[in-house]
Amino acid sequence: MRNLLIFITKYNAFFLFLIFEVSSIIIYVKYNAFQKASVINSSNEVTGRMYSQINGLYDYLSLKEVNDSLARENARLRNQQKSSFYIDTIAKHKITDTIYKTQYEYIDAKVINNSTNHSYNYITINRGRKDGIAVGMGVICSSGIVGKVVNVTDHLANVQSLLNKDTRFSVMLSKNREIGYIRWGDDLDPTKGLLMDVPNSAQPKLGELVVTSGYSLFPVGIPVGKVSNLHPKGGGISLNMEVTFSVDFSKLQYVDVVDYKFAQEQAGLEALQKKDD
């Protein structure tokens, strides 16, 4: 306390000047309309900027919750798409309000590990057996197809990426609907793949969209990429087309796992056909 009094006494002239200066400014502003309005506007601008910065910081900190919410909403909207249902034509003559049956369901998931620089790339997601994930399910994102589930634990799943030399999916040209299959290119470019065994009569065009055919794990029409080059195959019977992928695999964050309700039934039926052959 004694030191404080000594400090005040030593610098009393400065403190008196400060008090008079602040008092004069207050009086000047208070009794002059123009200056008062200017100060209020300036203070509002400073306060507004401060609130804006605080709000921006809050938005940044809440990005995870926003992204999770958007991923759930995307899955919900996919579940409501027409392609997620099929028409039960037998029930159509019995109960008209139960015609549409669920064919595909979507489970949102977050990517927690991913590789793009190997010959056999895999993705780990934060959903597993307890979330309804099973081996063989397809995986997509907002941009297009991603891969298929190959391993599952209670809480996690391993996805074989489209950037994997063993991955093959049935796809088609969007305009003439000629069927082929997509695989990763031999040069291991993470942005491109090859559309194989399309009939030579297809006459595809550069830039034409390539989508899923509906013959594999995915609904028909999911984007795969765009034709970026044409390569005639030996013999001239079919074409190989270079496709630029619609998905940027280096930036994957959220995906949807596709639960095709008839997958086991279809696989069992096709296995019987192979046995007969």
Side-chain angles (χ1 to χ4, degrees):
M1 186 66 181
R2 181 172 174 272
N3 291 334
L4 178 60
L5 292 174
I6 293 172
F7 176 78
I8 294 174
T9 303
K10 184 177 180 179
Y11 295 100
N12 59 2
F14 171 76
F15 287 117
L16 284 173
F17 169 78
L18 192 61
I19 291 171
F20 289 142
E21 185 72 17
V22 172
S23 300
S24 62
I25 291 174
I26 292 173
I27 293 171
Y28 179 71
V29 170
K30 184 175 182 181
Y31 295 102
N32 289 274
F34 177 77
Q35 284 76 13
K36 184 177 182 179
S38 299
V39 170
I40 290 174
N41 289 336
S42 299
S43 63
N44 286 340
E45 184 178 354
V46 172
T47 304
R49 288 181 179 178
M50 183 178 67
Y51 283 143
S52 178
Q53 294 295 328
I54 293 173
N55 189 58
L57 178 61
Y58 175 78
D59 288 344
Y60 178 78
L61 294 175
S62 62
L63 277 178
K64 182 181 183 300
E65 289 77 9
V66 172
N67 287 335
D68 289 343
S69 176
L70 288 174
R72 289 192 295 270
E73 180 66 11
N74 284 338
R76 186 184 69 80
L77 291 175
R78 288 187 189 278
N79 286 329
Q80 294 178 353
Q81 286 181 342
K82 187 176 180 180
S83 61
S84 298
F85 298 86
Y86 75 99
I87 297 178
D88 188 337
T89 54
I90 297 177
K92 185 176 181 180
H93 302 289
K94 298 178 181 178
I95 306 174
T96 57
D97 62 349
T98 58
I99 292 175
Y100 292 95
K101 307 290 185 179
T102 301
Q103 184 175 7
Y104 297 95
E105 283 188 354
Y106 300 87
I107 305 166
D108 66 281
K110 189 177 189 306
V111 174
I112 59 176
N113 193 25
N114 182 23
S115 67
T116 61
N117 57 352
H118 304 296
S119 299
Y120 302 90
N121 292 293
Y122 293 90
I123 300 165
T124 304
I125 59 176
N126 69 339
R127 294 285 185 265
R129 192 177 296 110
K130 290 188 175 181
D131 302 297
I133 308 297
V135 171
M137 289 183 176
V139 180
I140 64 176
C141 69
S142 58
S143 303
I145 64 171
V146 173
K148 66 178 180 180
V149 177
V150 290
N151 293 299
V152 181
T153 64
D154 284 344
H155 303 100
L156 301 171
N158 203 218
V159 178
Q160 181 176 301
S161 170
L162 185 56
L163 305 184
N164 187 303
K165 292 176 69 174
D166 289 338
T167 301
R168 304 283 189 277
F169 292 125
S170 176
V171 297
M172 66 182 181
L173 295 166
S174 61
K175 291 184 179 179
N176 57 29
R177 306 180 76 84
E178 292 285 359
I179 304 294
Y181 70 88
I182 191 75
R183 70 173 180 86
W184 197 15
D186 296 327
D187 58 355
L188 306 184
D189 184 340
T191 66
K192 296 178 181 179
L194 288 176
L195 173 54
M196 309 289 292
D197 291 344
V198 175
N200 202 28
S201 59
Q203 297 182 347
K205 292 181 170 56
L206 291 177
E208 184 171 351
L209 186 64
V210 178
V211 299
T212 53
S213 64
Y215 292 167
S216 54
L217 310 173
F218 311 98
V220 64
I222 302 295
V224 177
K226 291 184 178 180
V227 176
S228 54
N229 207 341
L230 303 175
H231 304 286
K233 190 175 181 179
I237 300 174
S238 58
L239 292 173
N240 295 344
M241 282 164 270
E242 184 182 80
V243 175
T244 299
F245 293 136
S246 58
V247 175
D248 186 346
F249 286 87
S250 66
K251 297 180 180 179
L252 273 181
Q253 290 186 315
Y254 291 89
V255 296
D256 288 323
V257 182
V258 184
D259 182 4
Y260 175 39
K261 296 300 182 180
F262 304 138
Q264 290 186 352
E265 185 176 342
Q266 180 177 339
L269 186 63
E270 292 173 353
L272 289 175
Q273 180 64 43
K274 290 180 180 179
K275 184 177 180 182
D276 292 339
D277 293 340

